[in-house]
């Protein structure tokens, strides 16, 4: 048991107005992930590269900033445009990298492949071997995408996994799982929900979630 | 739907629509520990080529400090879930698409 666990006691360390009240939360646990072997190795490598003048600390910081700035909002812009412009949708399905570049999104070395949800097929993405993900379009993947449970169960019992995400599909819809094993990275083009007729691209983009572009969920107009 | 890729599939010998077997185990490797991108659960199974993706450096040597050459044609192969898992409980037409390199595939014909 941690030192403060479960005690109703006065304490003098910083909860502002809470002084003298029962503990409002469990004690904050320090994140110890920086001590893992891989984290220590990465830090040592970074420090050596900086020490030898091969990279600078600012370049590392800048790159982290670039990676962190990417996210599902970029994929949502692409999907919203495809919903509003049938010609753009064709280009997205046939030349996905160029279609993203049209919106100023540079996918770099990524070979994007877009799979379209229809009235008869629902697509869902997994990487059973590791955690391949279109990071240059959607940012860092969610933790669940990298979990052993998702990676093993998505190919074995996809409908059960979808149900656990709260996703129920009509009985006549085929579930097609895509195992991202090699050089392609996948984007699901979700179905545009009913009730969004006449919406602007910006308004549509706001309801297009990360999980819908992985195929774990459907897009809802009230998201 | 046809998809255009920047990387040409110069050595592709399998056609879209062709039925293929996935080799049941690793092909002989001349270098170190293999870095295999063919998931274990699909080895020995039969599917149909859905898309010829292009040619890519071979990850089995690329991952081990080699140049990954010659490049390997890569395909998206479609399998039926009920062919992979005998007790699959979803719809009979549920499917799974997997990227597989040519040297792991043989024509079923």
């Amino acid at each position: 048991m941690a030192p403060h666990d479960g005690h109703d006691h006065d304490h003098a360390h910083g909860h502002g107005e809470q002084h003298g009240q029962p503990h409002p939360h469990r004690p904050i646990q320090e994140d110890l992930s920086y001590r893992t072997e891989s984290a220590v190795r990465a830090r040592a490598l970074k420090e050596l590269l900086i020490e030898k003048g091969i990279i600078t600390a600012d370049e590392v910081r800048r790159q982290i900033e670039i990676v962190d700035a990417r996210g599902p909002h970029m994929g949502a812009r692409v999907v919203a445009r495809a919903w509003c412009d049938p010609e753009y949708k064709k280009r997205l399905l046939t030349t996905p990298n160029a279609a993203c570049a049209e919106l100023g999104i540079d996918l770099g070395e990524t070979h994007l492949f877009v799979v379209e949800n229809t009235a008869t097929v629902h697509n869902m993405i997994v990487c059973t071997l590791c955690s391949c993900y279109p990071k240059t379009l959607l940012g860092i993947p969610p933790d669940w995408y990298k979990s052993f449970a998702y990676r093993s169960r998505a190919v074995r019992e996809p409908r059960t996994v979808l149900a656990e995400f709260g996703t129920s599909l009509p009985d006549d819809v085929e579930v097609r799982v895509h195992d991202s094993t090699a050089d392609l990275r996948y984007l699901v083009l979700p179905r545009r929900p009913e009730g969004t007729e006449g919406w602007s691209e910006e308004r549509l983009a706001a309801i297009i979630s990360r999980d819908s572009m992985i195929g774990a969920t459907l897009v809802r107009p009230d998201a | 739907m046809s998809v255009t890729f920047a990387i040409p599939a110069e050595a592709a010998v399998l056609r879209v629509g062709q039925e293929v077997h996935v080799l049941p185990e690793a092909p002989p490797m001349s270098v170190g520990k293999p870095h295999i991108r063919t998931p274990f659960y699909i080895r020995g199974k039969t599917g149909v080529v859905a898309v010829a993706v292009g040619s890519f450096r071979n990850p089995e040597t690329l991952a081990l400090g080699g140049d990954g050459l010659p490049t390997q044609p890569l395909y998206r192969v479609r399998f039926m879930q009920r062919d992979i898992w005998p007790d699959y409980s979803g719809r009979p037409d549920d499917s799974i698409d997997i990227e597989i390199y040519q040297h792991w595939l043989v024509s079923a014909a």
Side-chain angles (χ1 to χ4, degrees), chain A:
Chain A
M1 180 183 251
H4 295 319
D5 245 10
H7 291 281
D8 286 355
H9 61 179
D10 291 348
H11 53 298
H13 56 272
H15 284 295
E17 299 300 312
Q18 302 283 353
H19 275 202
Q21 298 300 313
H23 231 303
H25 59 72
R26 296 173 65 82
I28 293 166
Q29 298 288 326
E30 188 182 10
D31 178 2
L32 298 180
S33 58
Y34 69 92
R35 291 188 191 170
T36 62
E37 190 186 329
S38 55
V40 169
R41 192 187 304 129
R43 203 158 52 242
L45 187 62
K46 182 182 91 173
E47 286 170 6
L48 275 170
L49 289 168
I50 291 171
E51 200 175 293
K52 291 179 179 299
I54 295 167
I55 59 173
T56 67
D58 188 59
E59 284 170 344
V60 175
R61 179 208 59 75
R62 176 68 189 136
Q63 202 56 42
I64 292 170
E65 198 170 54
I66 289 170
V67 170
D68 282 349
R70 296 183 182 275
H73 61 281
M74 297 166 67
R77 279 179 57 214
V78 171
V79 170
R81 172 66 58 89
W83 283 352
C84 294
D85 180 347
E87 289 303 314
Y88 181 81
K89 184 174 112 174
K90 278 185 201 163
R91 295 196 294 279
L92 181 64
L93 291 170
T94 52
T95 53
N97 281 50
C100 289
E102 284 182 46
L103 302 189
I105 298 169
D106 176 9
L107 298 182
E109 301 288 307
T110 301
H111 297 280
L112 190 68
F113 193 94
V114 180
V115 289
E116 182 187 11
N117 285 350
T118 67
T120 54
V121 178
H122 178 85
N123 297 282
M124 177 180 179
I125 314 302
V126 63
C127 172
T128 58
L129 297 176
C130 42
S131 56
C132 294
Y133 190 77
K135 289 181 186 171
T136 50
L137 183 61
L138 299 182
I140 302 292
D143 283 347
W144 59 257
Y145 185 83
K146 299 184 273 189
S147 70
F148 284 121
Y150 179 76
R151 286 163 48 199
S152 53
R153 296 181 59 220
V155 290
R156 185 71 178 83
E157 45 178 4
R159 288 177 182 272
T160 310
V161 173
L162 285 169
E164 289 170 16
F165 275 102
T167 302
S168 59
L169 298 168
D171 288 340
D172 55 351
V173 173
E174 169 194 338
V175 170
R176 183 173 298 158
V177 178
H178 301 266
D179 192 351
S180 183
T181 51
D183 292 278
L184 304 183
R185 298 293 177 268
Y186 295 89
L187 172 74
V188 172
L189 176 57
R191 296 189 76 199
R192 181 174 177 164
E194 288 175 15
T196 61
E197 295 75 17
W199 286 25
S200 69
E201 276 182 44
E202 290 72 22
R203 191 175 173 196
L204 288 167
I207 61 167
I208 299 164
S209 69
R210 175 195 66 194
D211 294 356
S212 73
M213 291 182 281
I214 305 173
T217 57
L218 309 176
V219 177
R220 294 157 44 119
D222 57 352

Side-chain angles (χ1 to χ4, degrees), chain A residues 156 159 171 179 181 183, chain B residues 41 87 91 94-95 99 101:
Chain A
R156 185 71 178 83
R159 288 177 182 272
D171 288 340
D179 192 351
T181 51
D183 292 278
Chain B
Y41 71 86
D87 62 345
R91 282 172 52 98
D94 282 359
S95 59
E99 290 161 62
Y101 296 94

Side-chain angles (χ1 to χ4, degrees), chain B residues 4-61:
Chain B
T4 308
F5 290 95
I7 296 176
E10 65 270 10
V13 301
L14 299 172
R15 301 178 318 280
V16 170
Q18 192 168 355
E19 196 173 48
V20 288
H21 296 308
V22 183
L23 294 182
E25 55 193 353
M29 298 293 297
S30 57
V31 288
K33 185 181 168 192
H35 177 79
I36 290 172
R37 289 298 195 128
T38 307
F40 188 74
Y41 71 86
I42 211 63
R43 296 185 201 168
K45 305 296 185 187
T46 301
V48 172
V49 175
V51 181
V53 172
S55 286
F56 292 84
R57 288 171 184 253
N58 184 349
E60 290 165 19
T61 54

